[in-house]
Amino acid sequence: GENVEQHPSTLSVQEGDSAVIKCTYSDSASNYFPWYKQELGKGPQLIIDIRSNVGEKKDQRIAVTLNKTAKHFSLHITETQPEDSAVYFCAASPFSGGYNKLIFGAGTRLAVHP
Amino acid sequence: NAGVTQTPKFQVLKTGQSMTLQCAQDMNHNSMYWYRQDPGMGLRLIYYSASEGTTDKGEVPNGYNVSRLNKREFSLRLESAAPSQTSVYFCASRLGGENTEAFFGQGTRLTVV
């Protein structure tokens, strides 16, 4: 089945710096790659997603890149702010099960220090 | 707009007891999911239901059963709880299986003693 690996597990940056989180996936037929942000005590919420026919997508300070050949995708946060501190999860939607599954990475705890 | 509602929010069980976690969504979504979240292990898929009337195993189904009661509701049952099932459980739903956003509930924190 699909396996999603996420690195690093923790990331500490100074306010204003950039943060990069990387994920790899195993099922080459996976076609949808969302990123979720989870704040303390809450359920995860989608922040950005990318589909397999797109290489890069931006939304203000957040961008995601996808390299299908290498089977990896990354989240880039620029000009980080303290409110960006949270746990971030990547996920992939594999072909097995008709793309109905959503398999998550282990998460990255991001701390942005003022 | 409630979105995805889970009950209860907190629960303490004794080893061997049974319980059912309830999940309901009001977004007319077809697919629903149960995940467990443990420190350092992310969100692991327990079971999912691609559409009303179907259920399938995820990554960690052992010790759990599910019921897709109707399009709105998807319950998770622990028949004989074990300490290894201590976790935070999240229910999620998506409009369709492919390329659509998943919406999560607030979670149920379960402790088995």
Side-chain angles (χ1 to χ4, degrees), chain A residues 1-67:
Chain A
E2 174 70 287
N3 183 46
V4 179
E5 294 192 358
Q6 182 172 348
H7 300 281
S9 57
T10 60
L11 182 59
S12 182
V13 300
Q14 290 296 126
E15 183 177 0
D17 288 350
S18 295
V20 180
I21 303 170
K22 298 181 178 182
C23 289
T24 60
Y25 60 97
S26 59
D27 184 346
S28 58
S30 290
N31 69 349
Y32 175 64
F33 306 92
W35 286 88
Y36 283 79
K37 176 182 181 181
Q38 184 181 30
E39 297 176 339
L40 196 62
K42 298 184 178 181
Q45 283 194 302
L46 181 75
I47 54 171
I48 194 167
D49 57 15
I50 191 166
R51 289 159 176 75
S52 59
N53 59 345
V54 175
E56 183 176 1
K57 183 177 178 180
K58 284 186 178 180
D59 183 3
Q60 299 183 341
R61 295 185 298 108
I62 293 173
V64 58
T65 58
L66 171 65
N67 183 328

Side-chain angles (χ1 to χ4, degrees), chain B:
Chain B
N1 191 353
V4 179
T5 303
Q6 291 182 234
T7 55
K9 288 185 169 52
F10 301 94
Q11 184 71 49
V12 178
L13 287 179
K14 294 182 178 179
T15 297
Q17 286 186 318
S18 62
M19 80 162 294
T20 300
L21 281 64
Q22 306 286 355
C23 176
Q25 51 90 11
D26 61 2
M27 296 174 281
N28 200 33
H29 285 173
N30 294 305
S31 301
M32 297 186 72
Y33 305 80
W34 277 105
Y35 290 89
R36 60 177 289 173
Q37 183 175 24
D38 303 293
M41 303 190 78
L43 293 156
R44 292 184 292 169
L45 182 63
I46 304 171
Y47 271 93
Y48 67 104
S49 171
S51 60
E52 186 179 356
T54 69
T55 60
D56 286 284
K57 294 179 180 179
E59 302 166 278
V60 288
N62 291 345
Y64 305 95
N65 285 302
V66 289
S67 295
R68 184 73 183 267
L69 304 170
N70 47 55
K71 192 171 185 179
R72 290 187 64 247
E73 299 172 289
F74 189 39
S75 63
L76 178 72
R77 183 160 178 84
L78 287 70
E79 289 291 350
S80 179
S84 60
Q85 294 178 305
T86 293
S87 189
V88 180
Y89 291 85
F90 286 98
C91 177
S93 70
R94 294 165 91 185
L95 176 60
E98 187 174 350
N99 294 344
T100 57
E101 176 182 357
F103 293 82
F104 282 80
Q106 293 294 297
T108 295
R109 184 173 293 277
L110 175 67
T111 302
V112 182
V113 297

